[in-house]
């Protein structure tokens, strides 16, 4: 064999080896996507255990673990209105093994109430699917002499600066309604942040704070038990769970501060994995038992597609941007 032919043969061998290696490397991700999940999946809940967001995350994790036989571990990373946990997931590997239960707080409100975020809610995440939507419920201490929203407003005006309300932190979905009402009525209330909705309800029952605009999932059962008094919901319409409780919009037309919970992955996770998880969420949250469980606590199961959730999230950011500005909340 001549030297020229030998060099040509070696080049073809090298090209063939390189092509095989390239094919193998391109095929591996596809196999990984097809076989997902092959190991433990972390589902980050950016609030403490026992709260509303935690409940939605555990419904999803338990059903997924039962289906796939792999551990789906709920990991609570609370702090700064959910932004600590969200920031951690934004930096996670883009392989579908770390997911986030995001909320209106983390993905629609935070950009407008925090001067610095460790993540961009629009570009650092891939929305997968909504879990559910729900209103907040205005609840007050049973010791407060009000039973209707107009009575509450009058009492608030008479006691401006004397009442306190609880929330999960600045920018949380249970923080904005209180600031909006204070701004609309020209009154002041002391803001007391807590780590969870359970802590807020305990604080009202214990007489440590006067009221809260908290998620119905925990607030409504407490109202039914008599530990707090339900006054009104923050959605534009009454809740089918508590049809006798009026909407604030019946007194203040146009007011609508509902909240939502959904599943996100770090941006860049392969689309086949995203689509598979979205299909699983739809199956889980479409079952009659899950829908009944959610309705009992004031939530409405609302699974959708990744593209629909992306558009929904963008619209919510625009909506809450305007709400934050109208409430006069300064970024911190």
């Amino acid at each position: 064999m001549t030297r020229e032919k030998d060099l040509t043969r070696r080049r073809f061998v090298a090209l063939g080896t390189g092509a095989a290696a390239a094919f193998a490397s391109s095929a591996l991700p596809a196999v990984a996507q097809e076989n997902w999940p092959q190991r433990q999946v972390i589902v980050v809940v950016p609030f403490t255990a026992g709260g509303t967001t935690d409940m939605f995350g555990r419904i999803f994790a338990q059903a997924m673990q039962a289906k796939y036989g792999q551990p789906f571990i709920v990991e609570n990373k609370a702090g700064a209105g959910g932004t600590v946990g969200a920031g951690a997931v934004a930096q996670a590997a883009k392989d579908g093994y770390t997911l986030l239960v995001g909320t209106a707080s983390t993905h629609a409100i935070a950009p407008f109430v925090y001067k610095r975020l460790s993540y961009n809610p629009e570009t650092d995440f891939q929305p997968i699917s909504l879990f559910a939507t729900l209103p907040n419920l205005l609840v007050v201490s049973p010791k407060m002499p009000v039973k209707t929203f107009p009575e509450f407003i009058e009492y608030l005006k008479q006691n401006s600066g004397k009442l306190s309300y609880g929330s999960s932190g600045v920018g949380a979905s249970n923080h904005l309604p209180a600031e909006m009402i204070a701004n609309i009525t020209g009154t002041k209330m002391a803001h007391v942040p807590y780590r969870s909705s359970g802590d807020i309800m305990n604080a009202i029952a214990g007489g440590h704070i006067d009221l809260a605009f908290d998620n119905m999932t925990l607030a409504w059962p407490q109202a039914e038990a008599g530990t707090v008094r339900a006054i009104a919901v923050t959605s534009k319409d009454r809740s089918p769970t508590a049809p006798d409780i009026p909407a604030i919009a019946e007194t203040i037309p146009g007011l609508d501060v509902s909240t939502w919970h959904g599943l996100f992955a770090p941006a860049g996770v392969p689309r086949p994995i995203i689509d598979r998880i979205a299909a699983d969420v739809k199956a889980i949250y479409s079952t009659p038992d899950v829908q009944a469980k959610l309705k009992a606590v004031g939530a409405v199961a609302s699974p959708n597609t990744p593209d629909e959730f992306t558009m929904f999230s963008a619209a919510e950011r625009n909506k809450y941007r305007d709400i934050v500005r109208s409430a006069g909340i300064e970024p911190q």
Side-chain angles (χ1 to χ4, degrees):
M1 181 182 298
T2 66
R3 183 171 180 274
E4 289 77 9
K5 289 184 178 180
D6 182 56
L7 287 173
T8 300
R9 181 187 63 80
R10 290 182 182 181
R11 290 192 186 103
F12 274 115
V13 170
L15 286 170
T17 303
F23 176 79
S25 64
S26 65
L28 281 174
V31 171
Q33 294 164 30
E34 182 179 346
N35 293 334
W36 181 96
Q38 296 177 299
R39 54 184 170 83
Q40 174 179 286
V41 177
I42 299 296
V43 181
V44 173
V45 170
F47 298 97
T48 56
T52 303
T53 313
D54 186 65
M55 182 192 77
F56 290 126
R58 291 182 189 278
I59 288 174
F60 167 75
Q62 291 168 6
M64 292 291 278
Q65 183 165 309
K67 175 178 179 178
Y68 289 106
Q70 295 286 356
F72 278 72
I73 306 300
V74 172
E75 188 173 294
N76 297 93
K77 285 183 176 291
T83 61
V84 171
V89 175
Q91 303 300 318
K94 307 175 187 303
D95 54 11
Y97 288 91
T98 304
L99 306 173
L100 173 74
V101 183
T103 67
S105 298
T106 60
H107 280 72
I109 302 172
F112 311 110
V113 297
Y114 290 101
K115 290 181 179 178
R116 296 179 181 84
L117 277 180
S118 62
Y119 63 93
N120 184 317
E122 183 175 0
T123 60
D124 288 345
F125 294 91
Q126 167 61 58
I128 298 175
S129 174
L130 268 173
F131 283 157
T133 58
L134 66 160
N136 285 1
L137 179 67
L138 167 58
V139 293
V140 302
S141 166
K143 297 178 181 179
M144 193 180 293
V146 299
K147 294 185 178 179
T148 68
F149 186 70
E151 289 177 354
F152 169 76
I153 292 299
E154 185 61 30
Y155 187 78
L156 176 59
K157 289 179 177 180
Q158 293 173 358
N159 294 274
S160 179
K162 299 179 182 179
L163 303 182
S164 58
Y165 71 93
S167 87
S168 300
V170 173
S173 60
N174 52 7
H175 170 234
L176 285 186
E179 292 298 320
M180 288 184 68
I181 296 302
N183 184 61
I184 290 170
T185 58
T187 59
K188 293 184 179 297
M189 292 184 283
H191 176 211
V192 184
Y194 290 88
R195 290 180 62 81
S196 71
S197 293
D199 291 340
I200 294 170
M201 293 300 107
N202 289 336
I204 296 176
H208 303 295
I209 57 175
D210 300 298
L211 60 110
F213 290 78
D214 214 345
N215 291 334
M216 281 197 71
T217 48
L218 284 181
W220 177 240
Q222 293 295 321
E224 288 187 303
T227 56
V228 299
R229 179 181 298 140
I231 300 296
V233 294
T234 63
S235 51
K236 64 179 180 179
D237 300 311
R238 297 191 180 198
S239 168
T241 301
D244 293 334
I245 304 299
I248 292 178
E250 295 173 27
T251 301
I252 305 176
L255 190 142
D256 178 13
V257 194
S258 298
T259 188
W260 49 266
H261 300 72
L263 195 66
F264 294 83
V269 172
R271 186 58 186 247
I273 294 177
I274 297 297
D275 289 338
R276 172 178 292 190
I277 300 173
D280 288 330
V281 171
K282 183 175 182 179
I284 294 165
Y285 275 83
S286 296
T287 59
D289 59 331
V290 169
Q291 291 188 346
K293 182 176 181 179
L294 267 57
K295 183 179 179 181
V297 293
V300 178
S302 309
N304 55 8
T305 68
D307 292 338
E308 290 170 340
F309 192 23
T310 297
M311 290 188 290
F312 174 86
S313 299
E316 286 291 287
R317 276 191 290 277
N318 291 335
K319 168 184 150 182
Y320 277 105
R321 176 197 60 207
D322 296 339
I323 289 175
V324 168
R325 290 174 179 173
S326 68
I329 299 174
E330 293 294 329
Q332 297 186 5

